[in-house]
Amino acid sequence: MKYSQITEWCHEIIRTQAKREGLYIDATMGKGADTAFLCELAGEQGHVIAFDIQEVALDYTKKRLENENLIGRAELILDGHEHMARYAGEKTVDLICFNFGYLPGGNHEIATRAETSVQAVEAGLSLLKSGGMMCLCIYSGGDTGFEEKNRLMEYLKNLPAKTYTVIVNQYFNRVNQPPIPVFVWKS
């Protein structure tokens, strides 16, 4: 197995767990890697809703989806991920992906923040169907990354065990605050 990068690892877990042709949310669109991956899972019958607060992220993602002939499978939304409940109903979503932090190659001052990230995870959990899954790639460092990581981990730790299974992974032999892949399943 060669899945050593966090997104590759998360995609491999998602492939084994996600219902095909479902409704998926990419809560942090970035440059569209997760959106394109989810569009492939969605197939012709499924749908992806992707969020970002930066117009440039929507531009990157739209271009990527066009190049991969996936554009008709996704709805790209310029809005914060904490507002995802405005775009999907309770218990209708099969999978939600988060990649916290900043746009790769973008302005590091524009990044996800602890308060809205916790709100987004909370909103996302209410949207998940029974048997649905949430994948979180939590990056720390920078000005707000440690606060965000700590708040997210505390929130996840306190989820009711009868309703959610939370599995936290870690890169054990990497230095400089490696990312943390987390998976949440809803009963």
Side-chain angles (χ1 to χ4, degrees):
M1 182 188 291
K2 62 178 183 172
Y3 304 108
S4 63
Q5 297 301 317
I6 188 171
T7 53
E8 292 169 345
W9 171 244
C10 290
H11 286 184
E12 191 61 26
I13 298 297
I14 290 167
R15 267 189 203 93
T16 68
Q17 300 292 309
K19 175 187 168 208
R20 304 261 323 153
E21 298 184 337
L23 175 58
Y24 313 115
I25 291 179
D26 181 356
T28 48
M29 189 183 320
K31 291 190 173 180
D34 287 339
T35 307
F37 169 70
L38 294 175
C39 284
E40 290 173 13
L41 281 178
E44 296 292 328
Q45 304 302 312
H47 188 66
V48 177
I49 305 171
F51 296 89
D52 210 289
I53 60 168
Q54 297 182 75
E55 186 78 43
V56 66
L58 271 73
D59 294 341
Y60 280 128
T61 301
K62 182 178 180 188
K63 190 170 291 186
R64 182 180 190 133
L65 296 180
E66 288 172 346
N67 289 340
E68 296 181 29
N69 294 317
L70 298 169
I71 194 70
R73 299 179 187 179
E75 182 180 355
L76 308 182
I77 298 174
L78 184 65
D79 198 355
H81 54 193
E82 69 274 20
H83 300 130
M84 69 176 75
R86 295 177 183 169
Y87 304 91
E90 275 193 36
K91 301 178 183 176
T92 62
V93 178
D94 296 287
L95 175 80
I96 301 172
C97 286
F98 286 91
N99 258 299
F100 296 100
Y102 53 83
L103 179 69
N107 181 348
H108 290 210
E109 292 181 19
I110 303 172
T112 55
R113 303 281 185 234
E115 182 179 324
T116 54
S117 293
V118 170
Q119 289 173 2
V121 169
E122 185 173 31
L125 292 174
S126 73
L127 300 180
L128 281 180
K129 293 178 179 177
S130 177
M133 184 175 95
M134 182 180 286
C135 174
L136 303 96
C137 297
I138 303 173
Y139 298 85
S140 56
D143 295 336
T144 62
F146 292 111
E147 177 191 357
E148 182 177 49
K149 176 188 88 171
N150 293 339
R151 295 257 312 268
L152 284 166
M153 297 302 280
E154 186 64 26
Y155 176 80
L156 295 168
K157 180 180 177 181
N158 290 302
L159 288 176
K162 288 186 178 186
T163 307
Y164 301 101
T165 299
V166 180
I167 297 179
V168 177
N169 298 258
Q170 68 180 35
Y171 289 95
F172 201 60
N173 65 341
R174 290 195 182 173
V175 296
N176 297 327
Q177 307 301 322
I180 301 169
V182 177
F183 301 94
V184 180
W185 284 269
K186 187 174 187 178
S187 299

